[in-house]
Structure formats: C-alpha cells, structure tokens
Amino acid sequence: MELVMDVRKKFGDFQLDAGFSLAGDHVGIFGESGSGKSTLVGMLAGLIPPDDGEIRLDGETLFSSRDRIALPPERRRIAMVFQHASLFPHLDVEANLMYGFRRCEKANRRITLAPLVSVLKLDGLLKRGVNKLSGGERQRVALGRAILSNPRLLLMDEPLSALDDSLKYQIMHYLKSASEEFGIPYLFISHSLLEIRLMTSRVLAVGGGRVLRQATPEEVARERMGQSQVGYINLLPAELVRRIDGLYQYRWGSQGLFISAGTENPSAMFELSSRDIILFKKHPEAISARNLLQCRVSEIFPSGNKVGVEMSCGGMPLVAEVVRPAAEELDIRAGSEIYAVVKASSFRRLG
Amino acid sequence: MSLLTAADLDAIRISVKVALAATAVTLPFGFVFAYLMTFGRFRGKAVVEVFINLPLTLPPVVIGYLLLLALGSHGWLSPLFELFGIRLIFTWKAAVVASAVVGFPLMVRSIRLAMGAIDHQLVHASRTLGAGKLDTLFSVILPLSRSGIVAGSSLMFARSLGEFGATIIVAGNVPGVTQTIPLAIYDYVSSPGGESAALSLCVVAISISVVVLFFHEYLGAHLARRD
C-alpha cells in the first residue's frame, strides 16, 4: 500500500493540515482523541470532503481539488472497521457479511464467504440476528463484512476501543491473521500505543491536526518513555513450560522466566515496564525476585532525566530505565555485561 | 339505531378510498422529504421546515381555500392540470389532495423520527462497502425507517378519514361523489331528525379508527420483535 495525502480542512476552531506519504502493509496512525486522526481517515474513505488538497492511493488519485476529482466512497474500495461494529440491524449475520460482496465488481471478487467464515470462526452464527451477538462476535462479523467487500485497503478506526481487555487481544489476532491470510493491507488507527505496537510496523503520529512524525512504533514508544507514567512497556512473547510452586515457568527466547500471572495457554504475551527492572553490575548472591537475567547492553539512550538501557537477553531485546547517577555509577555502556532482576509479579499478561 | 343507507355506504366507501389514496400518494413524497430533512445539508432548511409544518397549525379551511385558489379554474396551477386534461376541483381527487396536504406534516414527522434514530455510522459503513447514495437509501435507510413509515401511514390514514375543512371547500359535499363520512355526518346533524343516522356513522367512524389504531399497534409490535 502506498498512500500520499496532502489535505487541509477547517471545522470551526479546529484546523487540519496534513501532508505525508506512507508505504507498508501494516501502518498505524497514532494520536490522542481530537488529534485529527478520525478526520484523516474520513477523508481517505471519502466520507469527509477535504477543503483542498490531494489524496493518492497506489498511484490512483482519489481526491484532488486542483483536478476536481473526488471519488465517492463506494468507488474507492477502502473498507472500514469502526469502533462500534456498525452492523446493519435489519440483516442477519450472513446478509451483513455479503452486503459488500454483492456490491463488489465480479472481477474483484477474490475472497468468498466460505474461507472467510472459517478464518474468522463464524460458522454457527450465519443465520443469527446481529443483536444476538456478543461484542467480540460483532466485531468479527464487522471485520468479515469489510474483508468480503474485497477492498484494496482496510481502514480500522479504533476497532478495539469498545472491547474489554481480554477480547481486545483475541480480536487483534483475528485482525492480523485475516489481513495476512487474504493479503489485504491495513491502516490501523488508535490512541493506544500498545495496540499500535502490536498491530503495525510503521506509524504516523498525529496531534493538533498535524502530522508530528513518521517512525516505527518502537521509536515512538522509546521517545515517550521519559514522559509516560508507566515508562517503556516491554512486550514479551513467551511459551509456557510448566507450573511450579504456584508460579508459571515460561520460555522467552533462550531464557526462562517465572511469572505469577500465567495461564494454561501454551503461549502468551506479557508486558513489563522499564521501571520494574533493577540492574546489577555483578551477579547478586541472594535475591527475593524470581528472575535474574544475564544480559548484554546493546545501546543506551537519554530519555528525559533518565537513561534508557536496551539490553539483549538471550537474543531478546529488553529495555530498562535508570536515573543518570545510577547509570554512571554502574558504568553502563554498550557492550557491558549486566544482570536484570525482575519480580515474578511485575509481568502483566495481555489478553 | 337505523341501518346504514346506500348514501351512507357510499360515504364510507369514498372516505376509505380517499384516505387510502391520500396515504399512498403522500408516502413516497413524505419519505423523500424526510430523507432530505434528516440527511441533507442545504440552505434555508429552517424555512422549509416552517412551511412544511404550516398545515399542522393553520385551520384546514384556510388550506382548502388556498388550494381552491391554486387549483380552481383560474388558479395558479390550473394550466398544469389542463395540460394533462385533469379536472380536480369538486371531484374525489380534490379530496385526496386536501387530505394529502393536511396530513403531509404528520407523515414526515413520523418518518423523520425513525430516520433521526438511525446511526449515521451505518450509512458510512454502507457507503464504504460499495453502496452508492441511492443504494444506501433503499438498502439501509428505508428498512430502518419502517416503524416510522408504518406510524406515519396509519396517522395519515386516520387523519384523512377525519378531514373536513379543506375537503368541503375544494371537493364540495356531493353525496355519492365527494361526500365522506364527516361531511355526511355534518349533513345529518344540520337537518332535522338526522340524529340517529349521524350516530350510526359516528359508530362506523369510531370502528374504522379503532381498527386502524390496532393495526398500527400490531405492526409496531411485530417490527419491534423482529429487531
């Protein structure tokens, strides 16, 4: 997907003026509410007309005030997944799914009902009325409906915000796997950096109606470490090894981790704040914390009045933060060996 | 209570015919108008709003008189009707026009109420799924306005059955041609000894109204259950 936007729009006091070009198949737009990201998305979908400017997707001009082009939404082939599923209440699940498919040109009907139903696990739901679905089911049907319209781009506008935490990660999995399975690039809009990090590989940060920067989600996360209340959130994918003494033992890269908040699922994702990691220069003899990881510092970077320390622990990256005097005292520098200590209760499971 | 006379039966037949025709004629216009007022963005919306609701507040006699001025043999609109060879004034069609104009705001209001409750995001969803404006109107907005259409139609039908002031001016009170139930009752009441005949027609009017209201309730409940 290649998207070029250069648009302006004025609503009362709010002024949006954004110019950028994006390339990639899993791209995020990140910003607080009121930053202008929904307006940008509305313009791309054709639901909000820009005052002036230009929008091009994969070389095709969707909007150009200079050339007087303004393709209506139904001809852009950009399907949306909204925050609230927005299913048609007068149609059953199957008719909702087929709504876009029926309106898609025959030549573009690459994805059909049967494989989609199996990927999104919608088998038993087809004849059900949409008011009899749970929140997660509704969002899966909404996603399926968008994919079946065989779009060239999926726009996901805060699709997880209305779901509770445990459902969020389940739906996230469906969003990713369906997009990959059917080869549809997506633009994922969210105010949650965590969602952006899990869903995208490239992100456009917007604020105050302007594009602030374009970066990787990782870069944005590190940049915000100093200002954030919770520091930098490490995301650790881990495989369950066994249950032992009321704790769960997981494998993370080549290291073992003891975690309180485990489950019986064979794999899980944990978050760990950079503030919950204590660094030791030498191997500490006896500690109460259950996790002692031998790491090598790969990079240090300033972040506000603190220092971010990126380490490699058994091949996996981990970011800790320490105050400046501590960094000097321990003589932390790239290449030095270090021990990271983490309590078993510091890990928070996602999903 | 005396039985209904042939003239009474005519009045009932004409009443029902006029009310049905007025409802049928108004429905498409009412729907399109409600759509424009709910989803359209244009200048002078407030002015249009006032004009369309005027029949609700004006005495029906005033509307009847204005219609007479417009549709009469020297009226503003008479050349148009002459072109098609239609004569309206003092026919049952004039009664339809009178009922339609008087009931139009009721129809529009009911449909707008239902349309206003439609989540705009559904319209956005349908557009991004490949449906054009007209397609969205018929595949999303129309079915979701059903309850308003049912309510508006029954209100309109009931209001047409009761139409008196505008009808008597543009359609007259000709038994067997333009005389509806209210006009027939008016005739009976104003002639000596017509009380019992008037009462029989009153009973008929009440019965029809009750049937219409029950039908409305039934459809409303049925639609609610389906949703």
Side-chain angles (χ1 to χ4, degrees):
Chain A
M1 186 258 302
E2 238 186 281
L3 174 65
V4 182
M5 275 180 96
D6 176 23
V7 285
R8 276 152 296 282
K9 176 90 185 171
K10 217 177 144 154
F11 292 111
D13 285 346
F14 182 76
Q15 190 148 10
L16 182 123
D17 185 347
F20 60 88
S21 75
L22 272 176
D25 285 346
H26 303 154
V27 182
I29 295 185
F30 170 66
E32 309 292 318
S33 55
S35 59
K37 54 190 192 312
S38 290
T39 309
L40 270 182
V41 169
M43 287 178 179
L44 175 55
L47 300 169
I48 301 173
D51 292 341
D52 75 280
E54 197 176 60
I55 303 173
R56 283 209 318 274
L57 179 62
D58 295 332
E60 189 192 349
T61 304
L62 303 181
F63 179 89
S64 164
S65 52
R66 201 191 52 205
D67 298 335
R68 298 184 170 277
I69 296 172
L71 233 54
E74 65 270 21
R75 286 183 45 211
R76 297 193 177 193
R77 296 189 58 220
I78 299 176
M80 278 187 84
V81 180
F82 301 91
Q83 179 175 352
H84 302 281
S86 295
L87 300 176
F88 302 122
H90 57 296
L91 302 175
D92 65 13
V93 169
E94 183 171 358
N96 263 285
L97 288 173
M98 294 302 282
Y99 189 92
F101 185 82
R102 292 210 173 93
R103 287 161 176 82
C104 170
E105 273 178 46
K106 287 217 166 63
N108 293 328
R109 289 183 184 173
R110 191 166 55 85
I111 306 158
T112 53
L113 185 64
L116 177 101
V117 164
S118 89
V119 169
L120 294 180
K121 300 200 170 61
L122 295 170
D123 314 66
L125 304 178
L126 290 181
K127 292 294 164 208
R128 210 181 284 181
V130 295
N131 293 332
K132 298 199 174 63
L133 300 176
S134 69
E137 287 168 342
R138 290 176 68 82
Q139 209 51 301
R140 258 150 64 204
V141 174
L143 172 64
R145 181 179 70 173
I147 290 176
L148 267 183
S149 73
N150 285 272
R152 55 180 159 184
L153 174 65
L154 264 178
L155 269 186
M156 305 179 182
D157 191 3
E158 300 268 6
L160 307 169
S161 305
L163 302 172
D164 52 43
D165 268 3
S166 60
L167 270 178
K168 236 173 229 183
Y169 300 100
Q170 193 196 336
I171 296 299
M172 218 183 269
H173 160 77
Y174 283 115
L175 293 174
K176 274 174 125 165
S177 61
S179 145
E180 255 153 50
E181 181 88 12
F182 299 113
I184 306 172
Y186 60 74
L187 198 59
F188 183 88
I189 290 86
S190 180
H191 66 275
S192 151
L193 187 55
L194 183 63
E195 289 175 11
I196 291 278
R197 286 173 67 197
L198 290 168
M199 287 293 295
T200 69
S201 53
R202 190 91 198 138
V203 63
L204 193 73
V206 295
R210 267 154 224 283
V211 172
L212 302 176
R213 67 177 298 201
Q214 199 185 131
T216 64
E218 198 52 36
E219 285 164 352
V220 177
R222 288 190 189 188
E223 199 169 85
R224 288 166 59 91
M225 180 173 95
Q227 310 137 29
S228 165
Q229 294 286 326
V230 290
Y232 171 93
I233 302 294
N234 289 287
L235 295 171
L236 291 69
E239 314 290 325
L240 182 65
V241 178
R242 61 180 167 156
R243 260 194 98 155
I244 176 170
D245 301 334
L247 288 177
Y248 293 83
Q249 189 185 2
Y250 279 89
R251 189 175 23 255
W252 170 61
S254 62
Q255 305 257 16
L257 293 178
F258 288 97
I259 294 177
S260 311
T263 67
E264 300 302 328
N265 292 342
S267 63
M269 178 77 88
F270 293 92
E271 51 174 50
L272 173 65
S273 166
S274 57
R275 302 197 170 162
D276 289 335
I277 303 170
I278 301 174
L279 300 180
F280 287 81
K281 185 76 182 166
K282 295 200 181 82
H283 192 297
E285 276 302 310
I287 48 170
S288 65
R290 289 296 86 195
N291 296 290
L292 175 65
L293 307 168
Q294 188 181 11
C295 309
R296 188 168 293 281
V297 176
S298 40
E299 189 192 345
I300 63 170
F301 56 95
S303 172
N305 58 350
K306 296 193 172 169
V307 175
V309 182
E310 188 192 334
M311 302 165 285
S312 167
C313 306
M316 302 299 273
L318 190 67
V319 174
E321 63 176 84
V322 292
V323 290
R324 223 177 271 279
E328 283 160 15
E329 216 167 281
L330 287 149
D331 190 27
I332 297 174
R333 63 180 79 190
S336 53
E337 198 160 274
I338 206 158
Y339 291 90
V341 170
V342 186
K343 290 166 76 172
S345 59
S346 297
F347 296 92
R348 207 176 78 87
R349 181 165 45 85
L350 299 180
Chain B
M1 188 193 287
S2 64
L3 287 171
L4 300 167
T5 64
D8 293 345
L9 292 176
D10 274 343
I12 296 168
R13 190 175 49 76
I14 293 168
S15 267
V16 172
K17 179 169 81 173
V18 167
L20 279 178
T23 307
V25 167
T26 312
L27 188 53
F29 291 104
F31 179 75
V32 170
F33 198 79
Y35 171 72
L36 291 178
M37 294 302 283
T38 312
F39 292 95
R41 259 175 277 165
F42 54 90
R43 275 165 169 270
K45 210 167 173 176
V47 179
V48 177
E49 182 96 33
V50 167
F51 265 93
I52 210 65
N53 282 319
L54 216 50
L56 272 184
T57 49
L58 279 181
V61 174
V62 172
I63 294 165
Y65 188 60
L66 291 176
L67 281 176
L68 191 63
L69 290 182
L71 304 173
S73 49
H74 302 292
W76 324 311
L77 292 175
S78 59
L80 185 70
F81 289 101
E82 268 167 30
L83 200 67
F84 294 102
I86 304 172
R87 201 180 73 86
L88 271 181
I89 294 303
F90 302 125
T91 66
W92 72 277
K93 290 172 201 142
V96 171
V97 173
S99 290
V101 171
V102 172
F104 190 65
L106 290 174
M107 175 79 93
V108 171
R109 270 173 179 254
S110 300
I111 300 178
R112 270 181 78 181
L113 214 60
M115 275 187 187
I118 297 176
D119 181 359
H120 281 231
Q121 209 75 283
L122 293 177
V123 174
H124 289 163
S126 112
R127 296 297 304 280
T128 54
L129 288 167
K133 272 191 176 162
L134 204 63
D135 188 351
T136 301
L137 177 64
F138 285 107
S139 63
V140 177
I141 297 172
L142 177 67
L144 292 177
S145 310
R146 279 178 320 195
S147 61
I149 290 171
V150 168
S153 302
S154 9
L155 265 180
M156 172 90 205
F157 184 80
R159 177 68 186 83
S160 301
L161 282 178
E163 215 321 284
F164 181 87
T167 309
I168 200 164
I169 290 187
V170 287
N173 187 358
V174 187
V177 184
T178 63
Q179 190 177 66
T180 57
I181 299 174
L183 297 176
I185 294 175
Y186 174 72
D187 259 6
Y188 280 129
V189 173
S190 50
S191 54
E195 290 83 357
S196 64
L199 205 57
S200 327
L201 275 183
C202 285
V203 171
V204 172
I206 292 168
S207 312
I208 298 179
S209 298
V210 167
V211 168
V212 169
L213 291 176
F214 265 116
F215 180 68
H216 171 212
E217 285 298 315
Y218 164 77
L219 267 185
H222 180 71
L223 289 179
R225 229 190 356 264
R226 270 187 47 181
D227 290 343

